[in-house]
Amino acid sequence: MTDTPLLHVDMDAFYASVALRERPDLVDQPVVVGGSGRGVVLAANYVARRYGIHSALPMARARRLCPQVVVLAPDFDTLTSVSASVMATFREVTPLVESISLDEAFLDVRGAVRRLGPPARIAEQLRSTVHDEHGITCSVGVAASVSVAKLGSRRAKPDGVLVVPPAEVASFLHPLDVGELYGVGEKTRALLHRIGLVTAGDVARTPLEDLQRAVGRHLGHELHHLAWGTDRGELHVGAGPRAVEKSMGAQETFARDSDDRDVIVRELLRLSARVAARMRAAGVAGRTVALTVRFADFTTITRSRTLAEATDVTVEIHGAATGLYDRLALRRTPLRLVGVRVEGLVPRATVHHQLALGEPDRGWAEADRAVDRATRRFGAAAVRPASLV
DNA sequence: TCTGGGGTCCTAGGACCC
DNA sequence: TCTGGGGTCCTAGGACCC
């Protein structure tokens, strides 16, 4: 058996690498993938990174850092299909694959060792297969726990492998800044630094109770395990609790801030229709409708309402969202973004609609399903609510 | 031209019930 | 007539991840 059965595989600059397969003429130039206007960088190739460009950077700043940067739009259909075939490659190694995004997955290779050799060799084979079959590079971390494998792949980038055996976990983790630990973001890092905990080793040496007093019970416990590399060693595979989504939402930043109720309510309709259609396609319904509003100064608030019964109907979701918006009673306050999310999703089949007294019928639900059929036949542009035409 | 869009999980207070 | 806990649901905010 092996003492490092987990692989974390992470595609290198995935969105950019996939885009560059179609544009090999650009490989030596700084390239980012992202939206235009008020967008951020989704991925930057390694040439662009030399200019200090990285993902999540506002596009405007990326252009300032490197005026000659080439900006490509993301092609989500291609990304999704490349991702699916890469994941299929992983499943040829082991059925125990936990995919955590389009470009990342954990593999438990315990059962593949006899067939394919030690994990380090499996990792190298996998990397060359991915490169040969899909034309992109990836990096792999190999360890006994999920978070150590993940940190390993980050350290191996780009285009490398790093194995962290159990005996070396402490010496690998403890020099790292706490901000490198999975689950420690900007805020928690700042808080920990403020109380003198700068490295993972500092956290590891702090008594659990002190840690929990500083950052909360749960996070304290979590941090302690992360700093010792004793987080989970089993993957969540297949029909686990994460197999079905718990919420679905859509949000959009306006090209220009808007304080016009008509514009905002129309945008809420567009978002509600998008969410409801995805819910119907997934066969789920939800009871709680949440509205997100972001102001010009970037402060963001949410308001939610739980309905008497779960729905997947556009007008019901839109009605709830509009009601929440009106209850805010904003007077000509410019909004940067609005969003609609439906939470508490359950399988559609478990929802039993009770016809309320005097309620006409389920006309709107039937209308939605007719729209779904027409969209499947003629495309999304063919069928829209009249107010969006 | 400053800061996207899709999510998950945790905390905390109040309501309400037993 | 004095002051319980525990559990669940709802709401709002915040941190984090990719």
Side-chain angles (χ1 to χ4, degrees), chain A residues 13-328:
Chain A
F14 182 60
Y15 288 31
S17 305
V18 169
L20 286 171
R21 296 196 316 181
E22 316 289 316
R23 292 296 306 274
D25 54 306
L26 294 175
V27 286
D28 295 321
Q29 294 184 50
V31 173
V32 300
V33 173
S36 51
R38 300 174 118 177
V40 297
V41 173
L42 295 172
N45 73 349
Y46 284 84
V47 183
R49 291 186 197 196
R50 291 208 290 267
Y51 294 86
I53 295 173
H54 54 84
S55 53
L57 193 73
M59 197 61 82
R61 284 187 58 192
R63 287 188 196 281
R64 222 173 301 144
L65 286 168
C66 176
Q68 72 273 30
V69 69
V70 178
V71 179
L72 301 175
D75 173 357
F76 284 104
D77 289 345
T78 301
L79 288 163
T80 303
S81 84
V82 173
S83 173
S85 47
V86 170
M87 296 294 165
T89 299
F90 296 167
R91 289 195 180 84
E92 287 168 12
V93 173
T94 169
L96 303 180
V97 175
E98 176 181 339
S99 76
I100 53 178
S101 70
L102 284 183
D103 69 328
E104 266 182 71
F106 290 105
L107 281 67
D108 184 335
V109 299
R110 229 175 292 250
V113 169
R114 205 174 312 155
R115 183 165 46 99
L116 301 173
R121 191 182 309 158
I122 295 174
E124 284 297 1
Q125 282 171 358
L126 195 59
R127 277 166 25 73
S128 63
T129 305
V130 168
H131 182 262
D132 295 348
E133 291 183 359
H134 308 291
I136 53 180
T137 65
C138 61
S139 300
V140 183
V142 186
S145 84
V146 156
S147 85
V148 177
K150 181 133 170 68
L151 293 179
S153 71
R154 190 189 297 175
R155 189 53 67 95
K157 276 182 176 296
D159 200 10
V161 176
L162 183 65
V163 181
V164 186
E168 293 169 26
V169 165
S171 59
F172 171 67
L173 290 176
H174 290 185
L176 298 179
D177 187 288
V178 283
E180 303 248 351
L181 298 178
Y182 187 78
V184 177
E186 207 182 320
K187 305 286 179 173
T188 306
R189 175 177 185 267
L191 186 146
L192 291 170
H193 276 216
R194 231 178 294 133
I195 61 175
L197 304 180
V198 177
T199 66
D202 295 338
V203 170
R205 285 184 295 270
T206 302
L208 182 57
E209 307 77 66
D210 295 358
L211 212 49
Q212 290 180 315
R213 212 174 306 121
V215 301
R217 203 174 59 87
H218 183 90
L219 184 57
H221 195 258
E222 187 91 357
L223 278 178
H224 192 260
H225 281 298
L226 289 170
W228 284 107
T230 51
D231 56 296
R232 76 181 158 101
E234 287 78 40
L235 302 188
H236 300 153
V237 175
R242 313 191 62 163
V244 56
E245 282 160 302
K246 296 178 174 166
S247 71
M248 282 191 191
Q251 58 178 50
E252 196 148 284
T253 297
F254 293 115
R256 300 183 58 175
D257 295 357
S258 176
D259 63 0
D260 183 336
R261 183 177 184 280
D262 288 349
V263 169
I264 289 161
V265 168
R266 213 179 308 137
E267 184 61 26
L268 290 176
L269 176 56
R270 193 194 322 271
L271 296 170
S272 300
R274 199 185 298 166
V275 173
R278 280 179 53 210
M279 292 173 66
R280 292 192 295 273
V284 295
R287 277 182 67 205
T288 303
V289 176
L291 169 79
T292 300
V293 157
R294 176 169 294 153
F295 300 105
D297 70 355
F298 226 72
T299 58
T300 306
I301 61 173
T302 64
R303 292 292 181 271
S304 64
R305 185 160 97 84
T306 298
L307 309 174
E309 108 191 353
T311 182
D312 62 3
V313 177
T314 297
V315 290
E316 292 178 1
I317 295 167
H318 180 239
T322 304
L324 290 164
Y325 169 73
D326 284 331
R327 218 167 63 189
L328 289 173

Side-chain angles (χ1 to χ4, degrees), chain A residues 359-374:
Chain A
E359 188 179 354
D361 57 20
R362 289 287 267 174
W364 286 114
E366 283 150 24
D368 274 356
R369 277 163 230 288
V371 168
D372 292 343
R373 285 192 295 273

